[in-house]
Amino acid sequence: MAARGADFAQLNAADVARLRLPKSVYGLSKLLDEMMMRKFEVAHELRWTSLRYGNVCGADPEGVLGEAKRRPHTLMTLAIYSLLDRTPKLKLFGTDYPTPDGTTVRDYVHPADLAQGHVAALQRLLSGAGADVFNLGTGRGSSVLDVIKAVEEASGKTVDYDVHPRRLGDCVLSALSTAKAEQTLGYRPRFDLSAMAATAWRWHTEFHDPNSYRRANTAV
């Protein structure tokens, strides 16, 4: 639940479990969605499941599907695009956070693991189980520099970046526990950060054609 992150460098596990209000407007909108679904469950017998994601990155290992955005905004893709000269030099916002390497920490998840979680959640819902909420991620936090290192290892190249001051609203740590999804859905993430970077790099260098945007825009 990356969007529900909070500064909890000083909080223990029990404190984290009691956190309710997300830090961002985006995260708040997701919480309100869940509240609305609970209301409709009572009023209209709606059957639902909510899945809270980590930060999604990586691509299909076979090269069938991957991220294809004209203007990417995710860290891993921006790092890869900078190596391929598709975007300017990567910007790193803040290196003075109370984390091991000074950069913010997030939970990342591969699309294939998300797909596994979705199928399991739907099967549970179709079996007649009640509404519930599950976290889908790896259950491990990775820093900005961890992501950059993973891209460097996947590409064999060095990511050049400029350090900028912290961005307003960025929290120190945004991570999640997948224990409930593992126990209830049988969810088992298969891709770690290195695998996410390796599949993403292969997608962007072997399968994805960025010029397709130009062709699509000029096609009659």
Side-chain angles (χ1 to χ4, degrees):
M1 57 179 185
R4 290 168 57 85
D7 292 329
F8 45 121
Q10 306 300 319
L11 303 181
N12 58 36
D15 293 326
V16 173
R18 287 193 293 269
L19 287 175
R20 288 295 299 166
L21 289 178
K23 229 186 157 182
S24 69
V25 173
Y26 173 80
L28 180 59
S29 72
K30 302 303 132 184
L31 179 59
L32 292 174
D33 287 342
E34 292 177 5
M35 294 170 66
M36 289 294 292
M37 287 190 291
R38 293 187 189 279
K39 294 288 186 182
F40 271 76
E41 179 185 5
V42 174
H44 305 291
E45 299 183 351
L46 175 71
R47 299 180 61 244
W48 60 276
T49 297
S50 177
L51 303 176
R52 299 172 179 172
Y53 299 173
N55 289 19
V56 186
C57 58
D60 172 36
E62 302 302 320
V64 177
L65 295 171
E67 184 177 15
K69 293 180 179 178
R70 188 180 289 103
R71 297 180 181 85
H73 61 272
T74 55
L75 172 61
M76 183 173 287
T77 304
L78 286 171
I80 290 173
Y81 271 36
S82 71
L83 290 176
L84 299 175
D85 295 323
R86 295 179 187 171
T87 57
K89 187 186 296 186
L90 185 68
K91 295 180 180 180
L92 196 160
F93 295 96
T95 57
D96 58 347
Y97 287 95
T99 60
D101 63 21
T103 63
T104 56
V105 173
R106 302 288 183 267
D107 195 320
Y108 294 87
V109 62
H110 192 278
D113 287 329
L114 283 184
Q116 174 213 151
H118 274 262
V119 170
L122 282 171
Q123 289 175 336
R124 176 183 176 276
L125 199 60
L126 291 172
S127 72
D132 214 332
V133 179
F134 300 96
N135 295 330
L136 299 182
T138 59
R140 296 183 298 275
S142 299
S143 72
V144 171
L145 290 180
D146 287 335
V147 174
I148 291 174
K149 180 180 178 182
V151 170
E152 290 179 336
E153 291 176 347
S155 64
K157 302 174 181 292
T158 299
V159 175
D160 194 14
Y161 58 84
D162 288 330
V163 176
H164 294 259
R166 296 184 184 188
R167 289 184 301 191
L168 181 65
D170 278 355
C171 57
V172 177
L173 171 66
S174 180
L176 49 81
S177 170
T178 59
K180 182 178 177 182
E182 293 172 6
Q183 294 166 5
T184 307
L185 303 178
Y187 172 75
R188 297 289 186 276
R190 297 181 296 119
F191 293 83
D192 60 12
L193 188 66
S194 294
M196 295 177 210
T199 56
W201 176 254
R202 186 165 181 245
W203 162 257
H204 287 293
T205 55
E206 297 183 27
F207 300 109
H208 176 222
D209 178 11
N211 293 321
S212 61
Y213 297 127
R214 187 177 300 110
R215 288 196 296 270
N217 289 338
T218 57
V220 176

